[in-house]
């Protein structure tokens, strides 16, 4: 992925100015910076959710993007399994793949649990399972460990380290310990 001279304003407030980044097609990159500096906005632009900017984002043909938002975005009328399988289609194979990832997130006993019965950390793990099951070329993670206990967070980071061998993962985090554990390149905004 190549980002060239990216600039973004909200009204008169400059969020990003002439930001450039050249990445490999795999590995983990952590985006670090103070609140309000444009980290989430950058992810939204990479994902194509925000197209009001100047500069260029070249995904180099890596157009299948998975996204884990800061807050879990689950459908309340679907179980954990149904939520995780949703972007994969309504097939037996989709459900099997979603189940594999939910189990890796430690949710093997909660496959048929609805979001209203889940803690915040459980919902976030369903969101992570859904994104990982989607197998995008690029995985965008915006504060993905919110509400998840430290021990489980380390297990998930181990999964991400392995997962990133085949694809690019961009993680926005305020937690230096997470960056250190991931052992990844850090970009300060």
């Amino acid at each position: 992925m190549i980002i060239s001279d990216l600039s973004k304003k909200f009204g008169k407030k400059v969020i990003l100015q002439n930001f450039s980044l050249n990445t490999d097609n795999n590995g983990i990159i952590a985006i670090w910076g103070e609140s309000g500096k444009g980290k989430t906005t950058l992810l939204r632009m990479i994902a194509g959710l925000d197209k009001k900017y100047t500069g260029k984002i070249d995904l180099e043909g890596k157009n299948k993007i998975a996204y884990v938002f800061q807050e879990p975005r689950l459908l309340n009328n679907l179980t954990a399994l149904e939520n995780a399988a949703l972007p994969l289609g309504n097939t037996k194979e989709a459900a099997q793949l979603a189940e594999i990832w939910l189990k890796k997130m430690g949710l093997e006993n909660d496959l048929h649990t609805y979001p209203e019965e889940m803690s915040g950390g459980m919902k976030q793990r369903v969101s992570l399972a859904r994104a990982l099951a989607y197998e995008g070329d690029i995985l965008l993670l915006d504060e993905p460990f919110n509400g998840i206990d430290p021990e489980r967070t380390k297990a998930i980071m181990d999964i991400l380290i392995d997962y990133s061998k085949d694809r690019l993962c961009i993680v926005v985090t305020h937690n230096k310990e997470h960056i250190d554990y991931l052992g990844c390149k850090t970009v300060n905004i």
Side-chain angles (χ1 to χ4, degrees):
M1 177 179 69
I2 301 169
I3 299 174
S4 306
D5 298 318
L6 197 65
S7 295
K8 171 72 178 176
K9 292 182 182 180
F10 287 114
K12 292 183 180 187
K13 183 177 181 178
V14 176
I15 302 298
L16 291 171
Q17 187 164 9
N18 300 321
F19 177 81
S20 295
L21 177 65
N22 189 349
T23 70
D24 294 328
N25 289 325
N26 65 330
I28 300 174
I29 295 173
I31 306 293
W32 171 264
E34 295 175 24
S35 186
K37 294 295 184 182
K39 299 178 301 297
T40 295
T41 300
L42 176 62
L43 290 189
R44 292 179 52 77
M45 289 187 286
I46 292 169
L49 299 175
D50 184 340
K51 296 181 181 189
K52 295 182 180 181
Y53 58 84
T54 60
K56 184 176 179 183
I57 299 173
D58 181 359
L59 301 178
E60 301 180 297
K62 307 286 186 192
N63 296 321
K64 187 176 177 185
I65 296 175
Y67 200 134
V68 177
F69 295 90
Q70 284 186 29
E71 69 290 333
R73 295 190 178 183
L74 305 179
L75 297 176
N76 289 326
N77 61 330
L78 299 180
T79 64
L81 182 59
E82 292 166 333
N83 267 290
L86 190 62
L88 307 175
N90 190 17
T91 66
K92 183 178 180 181
E93 293 80 18
Q96 289 171 338
L97 184 58
E99 183 174 345
I100 288 167
W101 283 105
L102 287 166
K103 287 179 178 179
K104 288 183 180 185
M105 294 294 122
L107 294 166
E108 57 278 348
N109 296 323
D110 298 292
L111 301 176
H112 304 290
T113 302
Y114 288 90
E116 67 184 20
E117 301 165 313
M118 295 179 199
S119 68
M122 290 171 71
K123 291 177 188 177
Q124 193 67 2
R125 287 186 283 144
V126 173
S127 296
L128 283 158
R130 177 178 55 204
L132 292 163
Y134 183 66
E135 297 180 339
D137 301 316
I138 299 172
L139 175 59
L140 304 176
L141 303 125
D142 195 355
E143 298 288 351
F145 311 117
N146 285 341
I148 302 174
D149 65 84
E151 184 176 316
R152 196 171 308 272
T153 294
K154 285 184 180 178
I156 293 169
M157 287 191 288
D158 288 337
I159 291 168
L160 289 176
I161 291 166
D162 188 54
Y163 192 80
S164 70
K165 291 176 183 172
D166 299 324
R167 58 193 45 87
L168 178 62
C169 298
I170 301 174
V171 180
V172 166
T173 182
H174 287 95
N175 191 317
K176 276 291 216 191
E177 290 177 16
H178 293 167
I179 293 171
D180 292 342
Y181 190 90
L182 290 168
C184 59
K185 179 180 177 182
T186 303
V187 176
N188 193 1
I189 293 186

